[in-house]
């Protein structure tokens, strides 16, 4: 199995898989939306597969996925019914403890099992410390695939016990081909905007199309280019974000704002570059807080708009 832009990660993974001593911990590092989670699932299937042993078509008993749980019992019910549902903002220690209880038993179908954590960035601190114990003394045949969008924020002790597998950003033609195949409803202008906003992440480009972020993108570009002295564009930005956006939409909005700011850097004069870098750092900080804090959408829209306006060529007064 192969994925666009993943040739080198597959080469490294399969070389390790065929070697004598496969490392027990892997950090799959790269931008959100480059396909790390799909790679983790496919790589785990290769890891646990044994010749002559029939493999299940659905969920595999030797592959455990830890990710965000439904936020409430009502959301749990929605998930069971196949409806959209809200998820918790972090991965808790109870999930790690449950996984560790399974590790005392042998794998079901073969000699290996895989634990996928997606994303490991969202582990609560106690959960991260608990995971560290399993990484320090992994049971025989147990391998960890940790999906990370921001590996620099992981505990140094977790990073030191894992091999880092990096996923590069895709080129514009590669993303365009994916959009043409998977989002044929997008016209050429929408695809072009999605490619710029995605910054090399096809998942972000698809999200751009599916969430209809073209209007938001145009407003953000105007604020960054013109400023917003009358606060009118910031009002439009708030309307586009919505009064009750879900967590995924807020994260998409913040990623889009970062992409808009980053795109301004290449053409900015020296004095403006410092403001652009400062705004990008602040948007990155907000992106890191979004999974944890309960932001007020209107206030967040104002903050994003103000940061974008601070990058305009003629900076408006604070």
């Amino acid at each position: 199995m192969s994925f666009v832009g993943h040739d080198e990660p597959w080469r490294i993974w399969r070389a390790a898989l065929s070697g004598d001593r496969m490392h027990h911990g892997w950090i799959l590092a790269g931008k959100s939306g480059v396909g790390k989670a799909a790679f983790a699932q496919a790589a785990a299937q290769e890891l646990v597969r044994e010749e002559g042993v029939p493999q299940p078509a659905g969920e595999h008993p030797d592959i455990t996925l830890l990710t965000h749980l439904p936020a409430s019992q009502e959301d749990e019910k929605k998930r069971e019914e196949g409806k959209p549902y809200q998820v918790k903002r972090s991965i808790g220690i109870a999930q790690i403890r449950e996984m560790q209880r399974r590790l005392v038993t042998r794998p079901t179908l073969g000699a290996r099992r895989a634990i996928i954590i997606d994303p490991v960035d969202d582990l609560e601190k106690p959960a991260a410390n608990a995971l560290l114990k399993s990484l320090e003394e992994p049971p025989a045949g147990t391998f960890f695939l940790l999906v990370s969008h921001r590996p620099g924020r992981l505990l140094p002790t977790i990073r030191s016990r894992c091999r880092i597998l990096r996923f590069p950003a895709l080129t514009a033609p590669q993303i365009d081909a994916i959009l043409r195949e998977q989002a044929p409803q997008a016209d050429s202008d929408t695809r072009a905007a999605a490619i710029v906003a995605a910054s090399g992440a096809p998942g972000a480009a698809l999200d751009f199309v599916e969430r209809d972020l073209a209007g938001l993108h145009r407003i953000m570009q105007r604020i960054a280019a013109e400023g917003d002295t009358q606060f009118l564009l910031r009002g439009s930005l708030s309307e586009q974000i919505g009064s009750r956006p879900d967590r995924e939409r807020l994260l998409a909005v913040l990623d889009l704002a970062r992409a808009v700011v980053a795109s301004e850097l290449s053409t900015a004069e020296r004095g403006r570059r410092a403001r652009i870098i400062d705004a990008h750092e602040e948007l990155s900080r907000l992106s890191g807080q979004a999974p944890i804090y309960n932001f007020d959408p209107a206030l967040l829209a104002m903050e994003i708009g103000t940061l974008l306006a601070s990058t305009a060529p003629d900076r408006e007064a604070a």
Side-chain angles (χ1 to χ4, degrees):
M1 188 173 184
S2 183
F3 299 89
V4 176
H6 290 180
D7 292 348
E8 184 63 9
W10 274 121
R11 185 194 67 77
I12 295 172
W13 172 262
R14 286 169 176 157
L17 194 58
S18 62
D20 295 331
R21 298 186 65 182
M22 177 78 168
H23 201 286
H24 72 277
W26 293 76
I27 293 175
L28 312 187
K31 286 177 60 66
S32 176
V34 296
K36 303 185 299 297
F39 179 96
Q41 288 286 349
Q45 292 284 347
E46 289 195 359
L47 177 75
V48 302
R49 186 181 302 125
E50 291 190 7
E51 187 175 353
V53 179
Q55 300 295 303
E59 292 186 6
H60 197 291
D62 294 327
I63 299 176
T64 298
L65 171 63
L66 300 184
T67 190
H68 297 279
L69 294 174
S72 65
Q73 290 185 343
E74 181 64 26
D75 288 302
E76 177 70 38
K77 182 179 179 181
K78 290 180 180 178
R79 183 177 68 169
E80 293 173 355
E81 295 172 349
K83 299 178 180 178
Y85 62 94
Q86 297 284 336
V87 298
K88 294 183 178 180
R89 296 180 178 272
S90 59
I91 300 173
I93 189 171
Q95 292 171 263
I96 298 296
R97 295 295 190 209
E98 175 61 25
M99 174 269 292
Q100 290 172 329
R101 282 192 285 271
R102 298 181 188 177
L103 299 187
V104 301
T105 63
R106 294 177 57 84
T108 303
L109 299 181
R112 291 173 168 174
R113 63 158 55 93
I115 310 296
I116 301 171
I117 303 181
D118 177 25
V120 68
D121 314 87
D122 289 352
L123 285 180
E124 295 175 347
K125 187 173 181 180
N129 289 329
L131 173 65
L132 180 60
K133 295 180 180 180
S134 293
L135 290 172
E136 289 173 338
E137 300 178 4
T142 298
F143 299 84
F144 295 87
L145 291 88
L146 311 179
V147 176
S148 177
H149 313 317
R150 301 178 297 275
R153 297 186 180 185
L154 299 178
L155 291 175
T157 43
I158 287 180
R159 294 200 306 271
S160 68
R161 285 164 175 78
C162 296
R163 182 173 178 181
I164 297 182
L165 189 58
R166 299 194 181 278
F167 289 74
L170 270 62
T171 65
Q174 287 174 324
I175 297 179
D176 187 61
I178 292 172
L179 288 174
R180 289 176 182 272
E181 177 185 352
Q182 299 187 32
Q185 75 278 14
D187 58 28
S188 58
D189 289 341
T190 300
R191 290 201 309 274
I195 290 169
V196 172
S199 300
L206 289 167
D207 197 45
F208 182 99
V209 174
E210 292 168 2
R211 292 184 179 276
D212 193 21
L213 297 179
L216 260 173
H217 188 236
R218 286 191 294 269
I219 294 171
M220 288 181 178
Q221 286 181 314
R222 282 193 61 190
I223 296 174
E226 306 168 12
D228 184 28
T229 56
Q230 301 300 315
F231 287 76
L232 298 177
L233 292 175
R234 271 168 272 202
S236 299
L237 187 69
S238 181
E239 291 177 5
Q240 285 281 339
I241 291 174
S243 60
R244 298 185 64 184
D246 59 23
R247 173 179 174 272
E248 286 70 26
R249 183 168 178 81
L250 284 181
L251 289 172
V253 168
L254 285 163
D255 286 343
L256 183 58
R258 286 195 298 169
V260 169
V261 169
S263 69
E264 293 289 321
L265 190 61
S266 61
T267 58
E269 68 279 3
R270 179 176 298 180
R272 186 183 172 210
R273 288 177 186 170
R275 291 188 275 116
I276 292 174
I277 292 171
D278 288 344
H280 192 275
E281 289 181 352
E282 183 63 16
L283 287 166
S284 297
R285 184 185 67 81
L286 290 172
S287 295
Q289 292 176 341
I292 303 171
Y293 297 114
N294 187 23
F295 287 129
D296 178 274
L299 293 178
L300 182 61
M302 184 64 66
E303 179 70 11
I304 292 172
T306 300
L307 290 170
L308 289 167
S310 74
T311 70
D314 294 322
R315 187 180 184 185
E316 58 188 70

